């Protein structure tokens, strides 16, 4: 009698838990519909704990747990078992089964994908999306029997919906896997016979024959495609690509221009083609006029397209036409000023023009949109340095410091720039200068500019010359033909009174120097004087004085033909 009561209570508890589970499950689905995934997951777990026999609840728990536990093989296996259990019990549950099939595809479980899509195809033979999935999984094989099943499935779709280039391309891809050229051509002929005057079908035929290595047939069909529809930009695009692939540069050049004239070809395709064209021909000066003509055509068609100006700018920068490159990027930024990195690129292009007014204008425009961008603030400081507005430069640099704490290379450059400014302020104590150089090296010990400028400053002070030599030697090791580094190294040896070594390095600096420098010529004169070569020393001093005619110390040296410390 007691056993009967206990059994009845257990049944009542079980049924109560199932009812609770069902209610919580419905609530979970409501949360999911409202985008509250966290609540959904929590409620699904509660519902499953109350009733683990409900395969629908188990399925939802399994699907979300598979996503959450992909790196835990045991948890993932358990979650998959729950999803699979529901599919095995209710494959006719179309939504759940389809979603389960997509997940098996995503994780690359081909055997399970074949099982799922095969079962669903037998239950829902009229659903093209199921048949297509099944055929696609079958076709990803080199087994001829599976390829045959895939083609049969594709054929069923064609019977239901008619011949289509999408299905034909899938069948051709399947036959390609087993290198069945005869069936590839057969499928191609079936497509062309269905619509022989379809321009896109002829483009497709040209691409397939090119893939098969039959250049004559490829060009025949591409030509036919262009003749059938002179407005089909894609046909001309593919013919241009074909000429490029076979190395016919003359035909390719002509075809690129034809492609760009097509209004119906999307801008992205044109830009892609033109980018490849520029990349192939930009180094040939004879092609520059042609490239600019093509870019002009594109700008005329799409006068307000950001990416055309960006491409034009990139091309001009490549051929070192920096003023026009900056101008084109300026137009792009007028259209869309939302990209911080492009503003920085624009400032750097302006800097290449060596026109301080242009650089300053670029910096001010950028700061209008991004007043707290540390890199733009740094460039603003550099701009003020070139204008000899050191106080303004320091304001920008100091504002950039707290914003650049996560960018150690930039922070190092800022500290170095401040050190360089303070170095020129002769009235300041040397400790204030060296502190900024030390901070720069703390942020980036490999900052070559800091190492050079710090070493030169110490040499000028006649202080810590061994330290200066160590720092300068690192810059020489990294950049053995850098004129500034060689000059600094020579000057350190001069200060150490190792004059022969100083002469060796000043000679190297003079050798690599492309433009005359008063400071370099001045140093060379001092070093040659100390090496006992008076006439050479005077010649260097005279050259320096021509470049810096107001330098009183140089005037004394030239006039008296001897060395002066001050």
């Amino acid at each position: 009698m007691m056993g009967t009561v206990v059994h009845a209570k257990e049944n009542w508890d079980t049924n109560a838990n199932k009812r609770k589970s069902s209610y919580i499950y419905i609530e979970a689905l409501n949360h999911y519909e409202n985008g509250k995934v966290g609540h959904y997951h929590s409620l699904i777990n509660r519902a499953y704990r109350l009733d683990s026999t409900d395969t629908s609840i188990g399925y939802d728990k399994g699907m979300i747990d598979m996503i959450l536990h992909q790196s835990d093989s045991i948890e993932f296996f358990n979650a998959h078992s729950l999803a699979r259990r529901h599919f095995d019990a209710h494959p006719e549950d179309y939504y759940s089964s389809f979603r389960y099939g997509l997940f098996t595809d995503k994780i690359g479980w081909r055997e399970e994908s074949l099982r799922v899509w095969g079962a669903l195809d037998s239950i829902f033979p009229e659903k093209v999306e199921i048949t297509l999935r099944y055929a696609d999984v079958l076709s990803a094989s080199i087994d001829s029997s599976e390829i045959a099943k895939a083609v049969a499935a594709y054929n069923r779709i064609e019977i239901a919906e008619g011949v289509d280039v999408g299905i034909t391309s899938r069948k051709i891809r399947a036959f390609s896997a087993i290198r069945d050229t005869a069936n590839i051509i057969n499928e191609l002929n079936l497509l062309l016979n269905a619509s022989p005057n379809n321009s896109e079908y002829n483009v497709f035929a040209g691409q397939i024959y090119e893939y098969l290595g039959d250049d004559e047939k490829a060009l025949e069909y591409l030509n036919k495609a262009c003749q059938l529809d002179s407005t089909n930009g894609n046909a001309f695009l593919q013919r241009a690509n074909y000429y490029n692939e076979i190395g016919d540069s003359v035909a390719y050049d002509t075809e690129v221009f034809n492609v760009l004239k097509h209004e119906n070809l999307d801008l992205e395709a044109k830009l892609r083609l033109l980018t490849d064209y520029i990349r192939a021909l930009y180094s040939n000066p004879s092609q520059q006029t042609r490239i600019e003509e093509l870019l002009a055509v594109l700008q005329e068609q799409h006068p307000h397209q950001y990416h055309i100006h960006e491409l034009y700018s990139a091309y001009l920068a490549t051929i070192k036409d920096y003023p026009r490159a900056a101008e084109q990027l300026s137009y792009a930024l007028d259209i869309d000023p939302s990209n911080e990195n492009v503003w920085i690129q624009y400032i750097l292009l302006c800097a290449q023009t060596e026109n301080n007014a242009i650089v300053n204008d670029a910096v001010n425009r950028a700061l209008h949109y991004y007043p707290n961008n540390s890199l733009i603030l740094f460039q603003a400081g550099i701009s003020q340095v070139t204008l000899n507005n050191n106080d303004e430069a320091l304001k920008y640099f100091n504002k950039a410091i707290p914003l650049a704490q996560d960018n150690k290379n930039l922070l190092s450059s800022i500290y170095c720039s401040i050190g360089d400014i303070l170095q020129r302020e002769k009235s300041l104590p040397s400790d204030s200068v060296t502190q900024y150089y030390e901070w720069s090296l703390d942020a980036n010990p490999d900052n070559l500019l800091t190492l050079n400028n710090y070493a030169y400053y110490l040499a000028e002070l006649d202080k810590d010359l061994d330290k200066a030599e160590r720092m300068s030697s690192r810059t020489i090791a990294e950049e053995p033909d850098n004129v500034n580094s060689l000059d600094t190294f020579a000057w350190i040896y001069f200060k150490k009174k190792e004059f022969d070594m100083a002469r060796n390095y000043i000679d190297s600096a003079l050798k690599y120097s492309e433009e005359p420098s008063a400071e370099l010529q001045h140093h060379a004169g001092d070093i040659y004087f100390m090496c006992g070569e008076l006439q050479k020393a005077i010649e260097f001093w005279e050259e320096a004085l021509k470049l810096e005619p107001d330098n009183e110390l140089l005037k004394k040296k030239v006039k008296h033909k001897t060395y002066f410390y001050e």
Side-chain angles (χ1 to χ4, degrees), residues 47 84 88 142 149 174 191 291 322 422 463 485 519 522:
R84 178 172 178 158
D88 289 344
I142 56 172
K149 290 179 184 177
L191 177 71
I291 290 171
Y322 298 117
L422 298 182
K463 178 182 176 182
S485 297
E519 185 175 49
H522 194 163

Side-chain angles (χ1 to χ4, degrees), residues 24 34 63 76 109 140 258 263 292 297 311 325 337 354 366 374 409 418 428 436 447-448 527 556 560 562:
I24 292 169
N34 292 321
M63 290 300 291
F76 184 86
W109 200 335
N258 289 336
E263 297 281 354
E292 295 207 31
V297 167
L311 176 60
E354 299 182 355
S374 56
N409 289 339
I418 294 174
L428 292 172
Y436 277 98
N447 188 328
L448 297 181
I527 290 168
K556 285 172 61 178
H560 297 287
T562 190

